[in-house]
DNA sequence: CGGTAGATTTCGTGA
DNA sequence: TCACGAAGTCTACCG
């Protein structure tokens, strides 16, 4: 049954599991979803609940008290809600909800750069997307004008981590016969200054790419949502 | 005014900003908090809203439509909500909500290990917490029984990243006069197998620490929540 | 089920 | 304000 239950109550919420957390007594909003999720929201603190339990859960309810348990191996996670006063308690049937359609995440950036790899570096042409190594796939494997391999790591925002990730891959790739001279390129919409410095000190080229420009170069009717 | 407005409505939600996302028409729960946050929840998909806008926001409302805007430099983020049918629209005053008190996060682990550094390695004694390097502070700097420096990186869960973070620090520390022989130790409640392998291949010692044991060794009345 | 990487990450802290 | 690192991260994907 696809429904959401909303309770506005004065309550105290205690979480024990990976850590211990106490939410002192106050008016709060409890949201209980049909998949067993329990969210405790306040009137501020957007997006993230103050306290919560992700499914699968077992919910025990008695007057003045609600206990939400989650079984995941040895460590028992639980949410103890001590309810002092209930101001509202309603349930809404929600029916089916279609999935979210997204456009513009890293996956799309990779798609666009696979179409025009020269945006990452002059003369580049694509060899393979998701080029496999034994520790995971590199986003793009290309060849440059001098027939040398170039591994491209793509990020929406490139941080130090991205540089490290690319270096891990390069380490492995260069051990592969024929790939000894493989270069690395970090391509991202935004490259953080520290990431750029580390990349340059490791002889990794940085390419900041503009999504709008990339979009302008492809067929307009390929975009998900027309204007 | 500390209040939360809850709307159950059949609606379509479109986000444009860092990416474009479309949520097709369906029954959804809209939560509007007093700080301007707008959350769109479905009956499943716990914790995370399907669509949202973080404060500060400007909300325009007219029959059948709600537009939430956020100004942050050049890129205009906006949430367009086309409302077909409103099933419920209520507002709840929430009063003040005290902050969450936490215990058991990485900060506490660092505190406990600073008190008993020998838990990370035999004969260790603390020199300094948050020992500075030019790329950021190392969690603990210690001396071992042979008067050699040891840098300790503390994590709740240690992944590959943690190893690389520690390696970055060690690189810098060892360039400092007097610290040329500085060793590294990775201390965590949980060390992922791959992280352990990488650490060992880089001659970094791994120490899995038990929070309960550490707790048992300190003054009982220092704990946040008594039993 | 465990591990890795992405996220409109969000959130806090320190410079 | 900006940048970095933690998070009960959560979530999707791949083995």
């Amino acid at each position: 049954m696809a429904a959401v239950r909303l309770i506005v109550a004065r309550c105290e919420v205690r979480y024990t599991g990976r850590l211990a957390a106490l939410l002192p007594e106050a008016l709060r909003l409890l949201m209980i979803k049909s998949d067993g999720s329990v969210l405790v929201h306040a009137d501020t603190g957007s997006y993230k609940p103050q306290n919560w339990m992700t499914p699968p859960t077992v919910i025990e309810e008695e007057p003045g008290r609600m206990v939400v348990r989650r079984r995941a191996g040895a460590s028992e996670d639980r949410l103890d809600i001590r309810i002092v006063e209930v101001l509202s308690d309603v349930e809404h049937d929600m029916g089916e909800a279609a999935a979210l359609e997204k456009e513009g995440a890293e996956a799309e950036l990779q798609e666009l750069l696979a179409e025009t790899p020269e945006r990452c570096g002059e003369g580049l042409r694509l060899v393979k997307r998701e080029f496999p190594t034994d520790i995971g796939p590199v986003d793009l494997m290309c060849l440059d004008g001098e027939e040398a391999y170039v591994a491209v790591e793509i990020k929406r925002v490139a941080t130090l981590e991205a540089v490290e990730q690319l270096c891990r891959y390069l380490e492995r790739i260069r051990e592969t016969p024929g790939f000894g001279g493989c270069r690395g390129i970090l391509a991202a919409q935004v490259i953080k200054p520290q990431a750029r410095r580390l990349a340059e000190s490791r002889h990794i080229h940085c390419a900041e790419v503009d999504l709008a420009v990339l979009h302008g170069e492809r067929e307009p009717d390929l975009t998900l949502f027309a204007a």
Side-chain angles (χ1 to χ4, degrees), chain A:
Chain A
M1 219 279 269
V4 175
R5 183 170 166 206
L6 297 168
I7 305 172
V8 177
R10 178 169 302 282
C11 57
E12 178 193 83
V13 184
R14 197 177 278 260
Y15 165 77
T16 48
R18 277 168 282 189
L19 57 65
L22 172 65
L23 213 41
E25 186 182 315
L27 270 184
R28 304 180 192 284
L29 169 67
L30 309 178
M31 192 189 309
I32 300 159
K33 297 190 180 189
S34 55
D35 62 359
S37 325
V38 177
L39 288 70
V40 181
H41 273 278
D43 69 302
T44 57
S46 69
Y47 180 86
K48 197 181 171 180
Q50 290 192 310
N51 235 328
W52 71 93
M53 190 70 81
T54 52
T57 59
V58 179
I59 302 176
E60 284 169 46
E61 200 178 350
E62 51 186 281
R65 201 175 136 87
M66 189 181 286
V67 180
V68 185
R69 275 181 234 274
R70 194 157 70 97
R71 266 163 232 299
S75 72
E76 160 117 340
D77 277 23
R78 62 183 284 164
L79 207 55
D80 279 274
I81 307 174
R82 188 172 57 77
I83 298 171
V84 178
E85 183 192 3
V86 175
L87 299 181
S88 168
D89 185 347
V90 295
E91 187 154 4
H92 289 281
D93 195 347
M94 299 289 276
E96 294 301 308
L100 181 69
E101 300 166 34
K102 280 190 205 177
E103 174 178 296
E106 190 197 294
E108 202 208 355
L109 197 57
Q110 189 190 121
E111 226 167 274
L112 290 166
L113 288 176
E115 287 173 22
T116 55
E118 61 271 17
R119 283 281 155 207
C120 303
E122 220 184 298
L124 288 193
R125 56 193 199 280
L126 184 67
V127 174
K128 186 162 177 33
R129 278 175 68 175
E130 301 288 345
F131 180 86
T133 78
D134 61 350
I135 53 166
V138 178
D139 291 329
L140 302 182
M141 181 59 78
C142 299
L143 275 167
D144 65 15
E146 293 161 1
E147 304 302 307
Y149 283 107
V150 182
V152 182
E153 177 65 34
I154 299 169
K155 287 274 182 279
R156 213 181 58 74
V157 179
T159 61
L160 284 174
E161 265 180 62
V163 181
E164 306 271 26
Q165 194 182 340
L166 178 52
C167 287
R168 280 204 297 274
Y169 289 139
L170 283 173
E171 230 175 273
R172 300 310 183 101
I173 291 168
R174 286 172 180 155
E175 289 170 8
T176 310
F179 289 82
C182 185
R183 290 190 293 129
I185 291 181
L186 179 63
Q189 284 183 265
V190 179
I191 298 178
K192 297 282 183 180
Q194 294 217 358
R196 186 181 291 275
R197 282 200 290 278
L198 181 63
E200 282 165 5
S201 83
R202 294 190 183 177
H203 306 291
I204 286 169
H205 179 70
C206 290
E208 221 156 12
V209 294
D210 187 317
L211 194 64
V213 170
L214 290 172
H215 261 140
E217 287 172 357
R218 57 149 42 179
E219 307 302 314
D221 58 349
L222 289 179
T223 56
L224 244 178
F225 317 125

